[in-house]
């Protein structure tokens, strides 16, 4: 009887642990809302050259409120997932490749107050900052900081480059 009880407890623990691990590997999608969307007055677009270096020739500051609002409307409320850290790390390694862009919204041209970053990748994926701006703890635990678009949106980057007259 003692053996049966121990065997049952082990089986239950295995089922419980297996269910927990399955739950953490599922990516739950959600709709992301850009915070403070009415307060942004500056949009910095930053790309890189063939060597992975950003410069004035691969940067553009946009202060036209209509263009900024059009940009926000295009990417706001996009369906996103919170990917595993490994996938985020792989995507982050791509940031310095030509064809990938940083779009940084700010309420000041100096970018020293409210700032919200969206990364556009050449494959059509978008990486969004945590909407409430919270960061991971120093040990890597805690809240995730980034989301990836659930779908690839190659057309959005092309539309933004045309709308904002981005030539780099």
């Amino acid at each position: 009887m003692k053996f049966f009880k121990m065997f049952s407890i082990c089986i239950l623990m295995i089922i419980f642990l297996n269910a927990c691990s399955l739950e953490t590997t599922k990516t739950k999608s959600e709709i992301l809302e850009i915070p403070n969307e009415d307060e942004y007055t500056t949009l910095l677009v930053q790309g890189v050259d063939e060597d992975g270096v950003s410069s004035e020739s691969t940067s553009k500051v946009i202060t036209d409120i209509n263009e900024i609002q059009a940009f926000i409307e295009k990417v706001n409320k996009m369906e996103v997932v919170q990917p595993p850290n490994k996938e985020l790390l792989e995507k982050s390694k791509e940031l310095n490749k030509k064809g990938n862009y940083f779009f940084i919204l700010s309420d000041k041209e100096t970018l020293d107050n409210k700032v919200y970053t969206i990364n556009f990748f050449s494959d059509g994926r978008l990486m969004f900052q945590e909407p409430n701006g919270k960061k991971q703890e120093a040990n890597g635990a805690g809240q995730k900081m980034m989301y990836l678009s659930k779908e690839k949106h190659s057309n959005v980057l092309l539309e933004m480059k045309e709308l904002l007259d981005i030539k780099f």
Side-chain angles (χ1 to χ4, degrees):
M1 186 70 175
K2 202 174 199 180
F3 175 76
F4 179 75
K5 189 175 182 181
M6 286 298 278
F7 180 76
S8 297
I9 290 173
C10 286
I11 294 295
L12 284 173
M13 287 182 66
I14 290 171
I15 292 171
F16 176 76
L17 291 173
N18 194 20
C20 288
S21 69
L22 287 175
E23 194 62 36
T24 59
T25 59
K26 292 180 184 175
T27 54
K28 186 176 110 178
S29 69
E30 55 188 271
I31 303 298
L32 185 130
E33 287 192 48
I34 296 172
N36 311 309
E37 62 183 89
D38 295 332
E39 297 177 26
Y40 298 116
T41 58
T42 303
L43 175 63
L44 170 66
V45 182
Q46 181 73 61
V48 295
D49 61 18
E50 291 80 15
D51 298 323
V53 178
S54 61
S55 65
E56 284 188 35
S57 66
T58 60
S59 299
K60 183 172 185 175
V61 176
I62 297 157
T63 56
D64 182 305
I65 297 299
N66 293 327
E67 289 180 343
I68 293 169
Q69 286 304 314
F71 169 78
I72 291 172
E73 286 175 21
K74 194 68 176 170
V75 297
N76 199 20
K77 299 185 181 183
M78 193 172 278
E79 191 172 9
V80 296
V81 294
Q82 206 171 50
N85 285 340
K86 183 179 180 182
E87 186 177 352
L88 279 176
L89 182 63
E90 291 300 315
K91 279 311 242 184
S92 295
K93 289 178 182 177
E94 295 178 29
L95 286 173
N96 290 332
K97 292 184 179 174
K98 186 165 177 60
N100 299 324
Y101 296 86
F102 289 90
F103 283 74
I104 304 166
L105 291 162
S106 180
D107 64 342
K108 291 185 176 182
E109 267 192 72
T110 56
L111 306 177
D112 63 354
N113 195 28
K114 288 182 184 162
V115 177
Y116 188 80
T117 305
I118 302 169
N119 303 97
F120 283 69
F121 293 92
S122 58
D123 70 355
R125 296 287 302 265
L126 282 76
M127 183 185 292
F128 293 88
Q129 182 177 329
E130 176 77 38
N132 61 9
K134 292 186 180 175
K135 297 180 180 179
Q136 288 181 305
E137 296 173 17
N139 64 3
Q143 297 188 29
K144 305 255 184 195
M145 190 172 166
M146 299 290 182
Y147 290 91
L148 284 176
S149 59
K150 186 173 182 181
E151 306 288 326
K152 292 183 177 182
H153 300 277
S154 303
N155 59 328
V156 173
L157 178 57
L158 295 174
E159 289 173 23
M160 290 299 99
K161 287 177 72 172
E162 185 177 318
L163 171 75
L164 303 173
D165 193 34
I166 298 168
K167 304 287 188 210
F168 48 90

